[in-house]
């Protein structure tokens, strides 16, 4: 496997790094441990974190995945797609006590990121990669992103002790991996129910109960989170970005983007290209968590 790591920012409280992997297979890697708390935020691709036999979570560009210090895990890359992700590493002073508390049930360490956190993730990465941020602003924005990411993980925690819960979690992860592997595919409830090996009705019920959102909204969330990179890059026209992301037209994409992120793709592209960080922060902080 080809792995590339790059430190983007480091202070006494927070480390921000970029991780890129190009796997040769989808097999599980060796057992690993983190020395610090870590939140991993995929920008593209996907990975699976195996926390114990039969228990895993999937990291996609819609999610934040928490890694506890000294806790063993293994990583695989479904479909051998690989991933590119930002990693936020931090000490125990910043780690809330109620994430994976000791003495009780193990809790799934992953959450669905809200729109504002998705925007902040991509904008922070691009500015750090270009060297456009001073240390104070980088740390402040990084801690804002960490706070939003930890909140999403807390909201997404579910007990996994009971066998029925384990089966439903496995079904959910299969759907997430399928969508992440081909977000622009022509998905429908019946097709995703087949992936999960559940009835369409049961899939919709389980999905909403375990994620807080509908199957349709989840697929839309995944498509929009992946479109951010192309919007900010500025290389392709927005019609191409829309079609590549799985939307029927430029107007459909723009309407969904504005509803989710609070601004149009064209407006975000203009502000980002002008490096108007104050305006960008207004857009980001206006999003509900």
């Amino acid at each position: 496997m080809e792995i590339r790591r790059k430190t983007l920012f480091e202070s006494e409280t927070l480390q921000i790094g970029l991780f890129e992997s190009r796997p040769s297979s989808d097999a599980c890697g060796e057992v690993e441990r983190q020395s610090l708390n870590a939140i991993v935020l995929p920008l593209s691709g996907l990975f699976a974190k195996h926390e114990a036999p039969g228990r895993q979570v999937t990291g996609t560009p819609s999610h934040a995945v928490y890694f506890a210090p000294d806790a063993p895990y293994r990583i695989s890359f479904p479909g051998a797609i690989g991933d590119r992700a930002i990693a936020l590493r931090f000490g125990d002073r910043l780690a809330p006590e109620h994430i994976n508390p000791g003495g009780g049930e193990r809790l799934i360490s992953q959450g669905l990121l809200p729109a504002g956190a998705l925007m902040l993730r991509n904008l922070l990465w691009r500015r750090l990669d270009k060297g456009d941020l001073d240390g104070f602003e980088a740390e402040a924005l990084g801690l804002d992103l960490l706070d939003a990411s930890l909140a999403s993980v807390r909201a997404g925690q579910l007990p996994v002790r009971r066998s029925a819960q384990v089966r439903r979690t496995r079904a959910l992860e299969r759907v997430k991996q399928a969508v992440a592997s081909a977000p622009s595919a022509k998905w429908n409830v019946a097709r995703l129910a087949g992936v999960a090996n559940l009835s369409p009705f049961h899939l919709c019920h389980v999905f909403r109960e375990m994620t807080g959102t509908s199957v349709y909204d989840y697929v839309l969330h995944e498509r929009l989170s992946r479109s951010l990179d192309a919007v900010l890059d500025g290389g392709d026209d927005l019609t191409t970005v829309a079609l590549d992301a799985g939307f029927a037209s430029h107007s459909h994409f723009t309407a969904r983007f504005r509803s989710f992120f609070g601004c149009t793709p064209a407006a975000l592209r203009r502000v980002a290209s002008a490096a108007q960080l104050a305006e960008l922060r207004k857009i980001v902080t206006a999003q509900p968590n």
Side-chain angles (χ1 to χ4, degrees):
M1 181 191 311
E2 182 181 345
I3 295 177
R4 186 169 77 92
R5 294 181 175 88
K6 179 181 179 181
T7 299
L8 300 174
F9 172 79
E10 188 170 4
S11 71
E12 292 182 1
T13 56
L14 182 67
Q15 300 173 15
I16 306 176
L18 180 69
F19 176 91
E20 294 182 274
S21 62
R22 294 182 181 178
S24 55
S25 75
D26 59 2
C28 271
E30 299 296 323
V31 174
E32 301 179 58
R33 288 177 170 82
Q34 291 287 326
S35 58
L36 295 172
N37 296 279
I39 288 280
V40 175
L41 307 168
L43 294 159
S44 61
L46 74 153
F47 70 88
K49 175 193 175 193
H50 303 263
E51 301 178 331
R55 190 168 74 225
Q56 71 177 57
V57 295
T58 303
T60 82
S62 292
H63 294 92
V65 181
Y66 174 69
F67 291 73
D70 299 320
Y73 65 90
R74 300 173 74 191
I75 296 293
S76 67
F77 298 93
I81 295 172
D83 77 326
R84 179 176 59 186
I86 285 180
L88 308 177
R89 303 179 77 240
F90 53 99
D92 288 337
R93 286 187 302 168
L94 297 181
E97 294 179 358
H98 44 289
I99 285 192
N100 281 341
E105 293 179 326
R106 287 287 296 174
L107 299 172
I108 288 178
S109 51
Q110 176 233 55
L112 195 63
L113 287 170
L118 292 171
M119 292 176 68
L120 181 55
R121 175 200 64 193
N122 282 61
L123 292 167
L124 178 61
W125 163 59
R126 286 183 170 273
R127 292 297 175 224
L128 286 174
D129 196 48
K130 292 179 179 179
D132 286 348
L133 293 178
D134 63 37
F136 183 24
E137 188 167 22
E139 184 172 34
L141 290 173
L143 290 172
D144 285 346
L145 179 57
L146 176 62
D147 183 59
S149 300
L150 288 172
S152 75
V153 169
R154 290 195 297 270
Q157 288 182 335
L158 291 167
V160 295
R161 176 177 292 171
R162 294 174 299 174
S163 59
Q165 190 74 27
V166 171
R167 289 194 297 272
R168 293 197 297 174
T169 299
R170 288 174 179 171
L172 181 70
E173 295 306 312
R174 287 196 295 270
V175 171
K176 287 160 54 180
Q177 289 181 13
V179 173
S181 298
S184 61
K186 294 186 182 299
W187 295 110
N188 57 39
V189 174
R191 186 177 174 189
L192 289 173
V195 171
N197 197 27
L198 297 172
S199 71
F201 175 81
H202 197 195
L203 171 65
C204 291
H205 173 75
V206 167
F207 213 93
R208 184 173 290 281
E209 181 184 40
M210 297 184 70
T211 68
T213 189
S214 69
V215 178
Y216 173 79
D217 285 342
Y218 178 82
V219 174
L220 187 64
H221 192 291
E222 189 72 23
R223 288 173 175 172
L224 288 169
S225 65
R226 288 173 181 271
S227 74
L228 267 179
D229 209 19
V231 169
L232 293 170
D233 182 64
D236 292 329
D237 66 86
L238 291 175
T239 297
T240 299
V241 173
L243 297 177
D244 287 348
F247 293 90
S249 66
H250 180 291
S251 61
H252 183 219
F253 173 55
T254 296
R256 294 298 186 183
F257 194 97
R258 185 196 320 228
S259 176
F260 189 65
F261 289 115
C263 64
T264 66
L268 180 61
R269 179 174 277 185
R270 284 194 301 270
V271 174
S273 64
Q276 298 173 357
L277 290 176
E279 187 65 26
L280 287 171
R281 197 164 191 181
K282 287 180 184 178
I283 294 173
V284 169
T285 55
Q287 302 303 313
N289 289 325

